[in-house]
Amino acid sequence: MTWNAYNLRWDKEKFGNVSSVNMPKEKVWVPDILMYNSASDDFDETYPTKVVISSDGSCLWVPPGMFKSTCAIDITWFPFDDQRCNLKFGSWTLTGGLLNLTQDKADGGDTSGFIRNGEWMLIGVPVERHAVTYECCPEEYQDLTFTIHIRRRTLYYGFNIVIPCVLISSLTLLLFILPPDAGEKISLGVTILLSLMVFLLLVAETMPPTSDAVPLIGIYFVCIMVMCSMSIIFTVGVLNFHYRTPDTHVMPTWIKHLVCGWLAWLLRMRRPGGANSRRALLQRSQVKDYKLAPLEEKSRSLMANVLDTDDDPRTMATNGSGGFRLKMEDSCNSPLASNGGCVGSLGSSLGSPISSTTVRHDITSILRELKKITAKFRKEEEQEDAKNDWKFAAMVMDRLFFVVCFVFTIGSTIAILASAPHLIT
């Protein structure tokens, strides 16, 4: 602090060319400049140094001290935040009419002695002069407010918190790439969620406990945790679809058309050897009826021919040994013709004649058993097709959730980083 005392001037030539003297501050007048927002126990932590008085009356008093002040911390943009702390200096008793405060430099405080810090970077120390009238006193009091503007260095937080969080959140996408039959989808999602919780605890330890604002990195962690939790829920739904069977669930028509049809076409998914259009789905559902109808008609015609053999004398001829031979004229048109060629005749030589009623009963039993076997294979094929439909629906839902989580992860990361005032300091 510098000021001029007109009553402390002297002619240095009359006093042995003494241009300056050092006097204890108790012997001369000094301004009662104090820091208004001091957080120190003694309120004034300056050391009582001597005042340097020059022959022209100018006084210089530089009391060193450790200043502690209160400062409101804004963690909205943590760890990409700037902090501004005010140091308010002014006289405690002298009004503006008795004491005029002016700043030494127009650009603010002197930062030439600042020692580089690994966590904070000093942007500047601007100063503002205020004249305030308080409720207690009608006079005007002047003060100089120095604002310490510091910026947090983000390199440490970027490599130790932000980048690991981005990498862990990208692992969430592996939930939808891992096959359901692997059996590790849920455990992988829970592991990723626990890893994010650990990183969130690390971030909470580095931030001051306050409820005034939610930090930017905290918002990002919450978004990633919500996405990870939703991915686990999506995975449960996919596994539910994948392991459904015709014995417990029947696929609704809207799932078949919406998921297996429209969504599969939108996500560019196609079954091997099939199309995904709505017309193709309808044709696939009707193709079984087209295949089964001719077989049923041919089986009915074969049964009719067999049952009519006893009425046609041309179909039975008795040989010399008392046996018989049954001829089926339309057997070449039956489904059995495809297994080993056309069946010309079905005969049996027995030791004694067999009545046509017995033959018809045996053939009826054979056809009935064949019909049961055919129905069994047909049912197994239908069940396998239904299982494949559920599995394909699970694949489509898996791809849909993958796209949703991918877009959400990339979008939230870009939005959070783009909203930061600065990224690298």
Side-chain angles (χ1 to χ4, degrees):
M1 291 175 285
T2 60
W3 67 93
N4 192 276
Y6 66 91
N7 57 346
L8 295 179
R9 297 174 184 173
W10 70 90
D11 189 357
K12 62 181 179 180
E13 295 179 355
K14 295 181 180 181
F15 296 93
N17 291 326
V18 177
S19 59
S20 63
V21 293
N22 299 334
M23 298 293 293
K25 73 170 188 174
E26 293 82 5
K27 301 295 183 179
V28 297
W29 177 89
V30 293
D32 57 341
I33 302 298
L34 298 174
M35 187 169 65
Y36 279 34
N37 55 344
S38 176
S40 177
D41 295 336
D42 296 334
F43 198 82
D44 186 9
E45 290 289 344
T46 58
Y47 183 77
T49 58
K50 294 182 179 181
V51 181
V52 180
I53 305 174
S54 301
S55 59
D56 59 353
S58 60
C59 301
L60 174 62
W61 185 35
V62 187
M66 298 289 293
F67 295 95
K68 298 179 182 180
S69 67
T70 58
C71 182
I73 303 298
D74 185 12
I75 62 171
T76 303
W77 307 108
F78 178 86
F80 312 101
D81 54 335
D82 290 7
Q83 301 297 334
R84 292 174 173 85
C85 296
N86 297 326
L87 304 179
K88 183 179 179 181
F89 294 93
S91 175
W92 196 258
T93 58
L94 299 177
T95 62
L98 300 176
L99 182 66
N100 183 27
L101 292 179
T102 58
Q103 60 265 30
D104 188 16
K105 294 182 179 179
D107 56 351
D110 185 10
T111 59
S112 59
F114 175 73
I115 301 176
R116 186 179 182 275
N117 186 269
E119 184 179 1
W120 298 96
M121 182 177 63
L122 181 62
I123 303 300
V125 187
V127 60
E128 293 182 359
R129 181 178 179 273
H130 303 97
V132 183
T133 301
Y134 297 96
E135 296 180 358
C136 65
C137 310
E139 295 84 0
E140 188 178 80
Y141 288 84
Q142 298 178 1
D143 66 80
L144 293 177
T145 302
F146 293 85
T147 302
I148 300 178
H149 184 192
I150 55 178
R151 176 172 295 171
R152 194 187 304 271
R153 297 181 181 272
T154 59
L155 188 61
Y156 170 80
Y157 297 95
F159 275 94
N160 292 277
I161 295 179
V162 178
I163 294 179
C165 178
V166 174
L167 294 177
I168 292 178
S169 62
S170 62
L171 293 178
T172 308
L173 303 177
L174 297 179
L175 288 175
F176 308 104
I177 301 178
L178 191 66
D181 295 330
E184 299 293 334
K185 293 173 73 71
I186 301 297
S187 59
L188 177 61
V190 173
T191 304
I192 296 174
L193 185 60
L194 292 178
S195 301
L196 290 175
M197 290 294 296
V198 172
F199 273 95
L200 184 60
L201 293 177
L202 294 178
V203 174
E205 291 179 355
T206 59
M207 293 185 303
T210 177
S211 299
D212 295 335
V214 180
L216 187 66
I217 189 67
I219 296 176
Y220 179 67
F221 269 92
V222 170
C223 293
I224 297 302
M225 290 177 60
V226 169
M227 189 271 294
C228 186
S229 302
M230 294 302 296
S231 65
I232 296 176
I233 296 176
F234 293 157
T235 303
V236 172
V238 169
L239 293 178
N240 189 6
F241 271 45
H242 182 79
Y243 289 104
R244 285 188 178 185
T245 60
D247 297 333
T248 57
H249 296 84
V250 178
M251 179 175 287
T253 306
W254 66 271
I255 294 181
K256 185 176 297 184
H257 292 293
L258 179 62
V259 177
C260 299
W262 186 78
L263 282 180
W265 173 83
L266 184 64
L267 298 173
R268 297 296 185 268
M269 296 183 65
R270 179 176 297 180
R271 283 185 172 183
N276 292 328
S277 62
R278 183 177 180 181
R279 181 178 300 176
L281 291 174
L282 294 176
Q283 292 178 355
R284 189 182 298 114
S285 62
Q286 296 174 358
V287 69
K288 297 177 182 178
D289 297 336
Y290 294 156
K291 290 181 179 180
L292 294 177
L295 293 178
E296 293 179 356
E297 292 179 357
K298 291 179 181 180
S299 62
R300 292 193 192 99
S301 62
L302 176 62
M303 188 65 185
N305 292 333
V306 172
L307 294 178
D308 292 340
T309 52
D310 55 342
D311 298 333
D312 191 354
R314 295 177 299 173
T315 60
M316 184 172 295
T318 304
N319 55 11
S321 61
F324 76 95
R325 179 166 297 175
L326 178 65
K327 296 182 180 181
M328 295 182 294
E329 297 177 354
D330 297 333
S331 62
C332 292
N333 297 326
S334 65
L336 299 177
S338 59
N339 299 327
C342 180
V343 180
S345 61
L346 177 64
S348 175
S349 297
L350 301 175
S352 61
I354 301 176
S355 63
S356 60
T357 304
T358 304
V359 173
R360 182 171 56 184
H361 181 268
D362 293 341
I363 294 178
T364 302
S365 301
I366 293 173
L367 292 178
R368 188 181 296 111
E369 295 298 329
L370 290 176
K371 191 173 182 180
K372 290 181 180 179
I373 295 174
T374 304
K376 180 180 179 182
F377 280 105
R378 186 188 307 166
K379 183 178 180 180
E380 292 178 354
E381 183 179 358
E382 291 176 354
Q383 291 180 351
E384 188 67 23
D385 292 340
K387 291 181 180 180
N388 293 333
D389 290 339
W390 283 114
K391 291 182 178 180
F392 183 71
M395 291 176 58
V396 175
M397 299 300 293
D398 222 3
R399 180 70 62 83
L400 175 64
F401 297 147
F402 172 80
V403 173
V404 171
C405 292
F406 178 79
V407 172
F408 182 82
T409 303
I410 299 298
S412 60
T413 302
I414 294 177
I416 293 296
L417 295 180
S419 61
H422 56 275
L423 294 179
I424 300 177
T425 301

